[in-house]
Short mmCIF file of all heavy atoms in Angstrom, two decimals:
data_model
loop_
_atom_site.label_atom_id
_atom_site.label_comp_id
_atom_site.label_asym_id
_atom_site.label_seq_id
_atom_site.Cartn_x
_atom_site.Cartn_y
_atom_site.Cartn_z
N PRO A 157 -14.37 41.84 10.43
CA PRO A 157 -13.08 42.43 10.63
C PRO A 157 -11.87 41.47 10.62
O PRO A 157 -10.79 41.94 10.54
CB PRO A 157 -13.24 43.16 12.00
CG PRO A 157 -14.39 42.64 12.69
CD PRO A 157 -15.28 42.03 11.51
N LEU A 158 -12.26 40.25 10.78
CA LEU A 158 -11.18 39.14 10.74
C LEU A 158 -10.85 38.74 9.23
O LEU A 158 -9.92 38.01 9.04
CB LEU A 158 -11.60 37.96 11.53
CG LEU A 158 -11.90 38.20 12.98
CD1 LEU A 158 -12.43 36.92 13.69
CD2 LEU A 158 -10.72 38.82 13.68
N GLY A 159 -11.67 39.23 8.34
CA GLY A 159 -11.22 39.07 6.92
C GLY A 159 -12.32 38.40 6.06
O GLY A 159 -12.19 38.22 4.77
N ILE A 160 -13.52 37.84 6.65
CA ILE A 160 -14.56 37.32 5.76
C ILE A 160 -15.38 38.43 5.32
O ILE A 160 -16.07 39.12 6.11
CB ILE A 160 -15.33 36.31 6.64
CG1 ILE A 160 -14.48 35.17 7.21
CG2 ILE A 160 -16.50 35.67 5.84
CD1 ILE A 160 -13.90 34.22 6.23
N SER A 161 -15.37 38.63 3.99
CA SER A 161 -16.12 39.74 3.45
C SER A 161 -17.64 39.44 3.23
O SER A 161 -17.99 38.25 3.22
CB SER A 161 -15.50 40.17 2.14
OG SER A 161 -15.87 39.29 1.05
N GLU A 162 -18.43 40.45 2.97
CA GLU A 162 -19.84 40.22 2.63
C GLU A 162 -20.00 39.49 1.31
O GLU A 162 -21.07 38.92 1.09
CB GLU A 162 -20.56 41.58 2.52
CG GLU A 162 -20.58 42.28 3.90
CD GLU A 162 -21.24 43.66 3.88
OE1 GLU A 162 -21.79 44.00 2.80
OE2 GLU A 162 -21.11 44.45 4.85
N GLU A 163 -19.02 39.43 0.48
CA GLU A 163 -19.12 38.83 -0.89
C GLU A 163 -18.73 37.35 -0.73
O GLU A 163 -18.67 36.64 -1.71
CB GLU A 163 -18.23 39.49 -1.84
CG GLU A 163 -18.74 40.82 -2.30
CD GLU A 163 -18.45 41.95 -1.35
OE1 GLU A 163 -17.38 41.86 -0.68
OE2 GLU A 163 -19.26 42.77 -1.06
N GLU A 164 -18.49 36.82 0.50
CA GLU A 164 -18.05 35.47 0.69
C GLU A 164 -19.06 34.71 1.50
O GLU A 164 -19.83 35.22 2.34
CB GLU A 164 -16.69 35.34 1.42
CG GLU A 164 -15.57 35.89 0.57
CD GLU A 164 -14.21 35.83 1.32
OE1 GLU A 164 -14.16 36.35 2.46
OE2 GLU A 164 -13.28 35.34 0.73
N THR A 165 -19.15 33.46 1.28
CA THR A 165 -19.93 32.47 2.02
C THR A 165 -19.01 31.54 2.79
O THR A 165 -18.00 31.19 2.32
CB THR A 165 -20.86 31.59 1.13
OG1 THR A 165 -21.66 30.80 1.95
CG2 THR A 165 -20.18 30.78 0.06
N ILE A 166 -19.40 31.27 4.00
CA ILE A 166 -18.58 30.34 4.82
C ILE A 166 -18.88 28.88 4.45
O ILE A 166 -20.07 28.54 4.57
CB ILE A 166 -18.79 30.53 6.36
CG1 ILE A 166 -18.48 32.02 6.65
CG2 ILE A 166 -17.93 29.59 7.12
CD1 ILE A 166 -19.06 32.43 8.07
N CYS A 167 -17.88 28.16 4.06
CA CYS A 167 -18.16 26.79 3.48
C CYS A 167 -17.81 25.72 4.52
O CYS A 167 -18.19 24.56 4.24
CB CYS A 167 -17.39 26.61 2.25
SG CYS A 167 -17.86 27.72 0.87
N GLY A 168 -17.03 26.11 5.55
CA GLY A 168 -16.72 25.09 6.50
C GLY A 168 -15.44 25.68 7.33
O GLY A 168 -15.09 26.84 7.28
N ALA A 169 -15.01 24.77 8.21
CA ALA A 169 -13.83 25.21 9.06
C ALA A 169 -13.15 23.94 9.40
O ALA A 169 -13.58 22.84 9.18
CB ALA A 169 -14.29 25.93 10.28
N LEU A 170 -11.86 24.15 9.85
CA LEU A 170 -11.04 23.02 10.34
C LEU A 170 -10.45 23.28 11.69
O LEU A 170 -9.78 24.25 11.87
CB LEU A 170 -9.88 22.77 9.26
CG LEU A 170 -9.08 21.59 9.49
CD1 LEU A 170 -9.85 20.28 9.32
CD2 LEU A 170 -7.89 21.62 8.52
N ALA A 171 -10.78 22.38 12.58
CA ALA A 171 -10.13 22.36 13.93
C ALA A 171 -8.81 21.60 13.86
O ALA A 171 -8.72 20.57 13.35
CB ALA A 171 -11.06 21.74 14.92
N LEU A 172 -7.73 22.30 14.38
CA LEU A 172 -6.42 21.66 14.28
C LEU A 172 -5.71 21.69 15.67
O LEU A 172 -5.75 22.66 16.41
CB LEU A 172 -5.46 22.51 13.35
CG LEU A 172 -5.68 22.28 11.86
CD1 LEU A 172 -4.59 23.24 11.12
CD2 LEU A 172 -5.35 20.87 11.46
N GLY A 173 -5.01 20.64 15.97
CA GLY A 173 -4.23 20.58 17.20
C GLY A 173 -3.65 19.21 17.33
O GLY A 173 -3.89 18.34 16.57
N ASN A 174 -2.89 19.06 18.44
CA ASN A 174 -2.34 17.73 18.69
C ASN A 174 -3.31 16.97 19.59
O ASN A 174 -4.00 17.41 20.35
CB ASN A 174 -0.93 17.99 19.46
CG ASN A 174 0.04 18.41 18.49
OD1 ASN A 174 0.47 17.71 17.62
ND2 ASN A 174 0.52 19.68 18.65
N TYR A 175 -3.32 15.61 19.28
CA TYR A 175 -4.17 14.69 19.99
C TYR A 175 -4.05 14.78 21.53
O TYR A 175 -2.93 14.84 21.92
CB TYR A 175 -3.94 13.24 19.59
CG TYR A 175 -3.78 12.92 18.08
CD1 TYR A 175 -2.93 11.87 17.77
CD2 TYR A 175 -4.36 13.51 17.14
CE1 TYR A 175 -2.71 11.47 16.48
CE2 TYR A 175 -4.24 13.18 15.79
CZ TYR A 175 -3.26 12.13 15.46
OH TYR A 175 -3.20 11.81 14.21
N ASP A 176 -5.08 14.59 22.16
CA ASP A 176 -5.00 14.48 23.66
C ASP A 176 -5.37 12.95 23.87
O ASP A 176 -6.52 12.58 23.85
CB ASP A 176 -6.08 15.37 24.35
CG ASP A 176 -5.89 15.34 25.83
OD1 ASP A 176 -4.84 14.85 26.32
OD2 ASP A 176 -6.75 15.81 26.53
N GLY A 177 -4.32 12.25 24.03
CA GLY A 177 -4.43 10.81 24.14
C GLY A 177 -4.16 10.10 22.85
O GLY A 177 -3.47 10.71 22.01
N LYS A 178 -4.75 8.99 22.65
CA LYS A 178 -4.51 8.24 21.36
C LYS A 178 -5.53 8.67 20.40
O LYS A 178 -6.66 9.01 20.67
CB LYS A 178 -4.65 6.75 21.65
CG LYS A 178 -3.52 6.20 22.53
CD LYS A 178 -3.66 4.68 22.65
CE LYS A 178 -2.48 4.20 23.45
NZ LYS A 178 -2.52 2.73 23.65
N GLN A 179 -5.16 8.51 19.13
CA GLN A 179 -5.96 8.75 17.97
C GLN A 179 -7.09 7.64 17.95
O GLN A 179 -6.77 6.47 18.24
CB GLN A 179 -5.19 8.64 16.65
CG GLN A 179 -6.12 8.89 15.45
CD GLN A 179 -5.27 8.73 14.13
OE1 GLN A 179 -4.50 7.87 14.06
NE2 GLN A 179 -5.71 9.39 13.18
N PRO A 180 -8.40 8.04 17.67
CA PRO A 180 -9.44 7.04 17.62
C PRO A 180 -9.12 5.95 16.65
O PRO A 180 -8.51 6.17 15.60
CB PRO A 180 -10.73 7.85 17.22
CG PRO A 180 -10.33 9.26 17.49
CD PRO A 180 -8.84 9.35 17.45
N VAL A 181 -9.49 4.70 16.92
CA VAL A 181 -9.23 3.60 16.04
C VAL A 181 -10.48 2.96 15.47
O VAL A 181 -10.47 1.88 14.96
CB VAL A 181 -8.33 2.51 16.71
CG1 VAL A 181 -6.93 3.02 16.94
CG2 VAL A 181 -8.97 1.95 17.93
N LYS A 182 -11.62 3.71 15.60
CA LYS A 182 -12.90 3.14 15.06
C LYS A 182 -12.67 2.68 13.63
O LYS A 182 -12.26 3.40 12.80
CB LYS A 182 -13.97 4.18 15.17
CG LYS A 182 -15.34 3.70 14.79
CD LYS A 182 -16.42 4.87 14.95
CE LYS A 182 -17.76 4.24 14.46
NZ LYS A 182 -18.77 5.26 14.62
N PRO A 183 -12.88 1.37 13.28
CA PRO A 183 -12.74 0.91 12.01
C PRO A 183 -13.76 1.55 11.00
O PRO A 183 -14.86 1.87 11.32
CB PRO A 183 -12.92 -0.61 12.15
CG PRO A 183 -13.76 -0.71 13.35
CD PRO A 183 -13.46 0.42 14.20
#
Side-chain angles (χ1 to χ4, degrees):
L158 302 178
I160 302 292
S161 79
E162 293 177 12
E163 289 79 39
E164 292 179 310
T165 182
I166 302 165
C167 297
L170 186 64
L172 282 178
N174 286 294
Y175 315 147
D176 188 12
K178 292 184 177 181
Q179 182 186 31
V181 291
K182 184 177 179 183

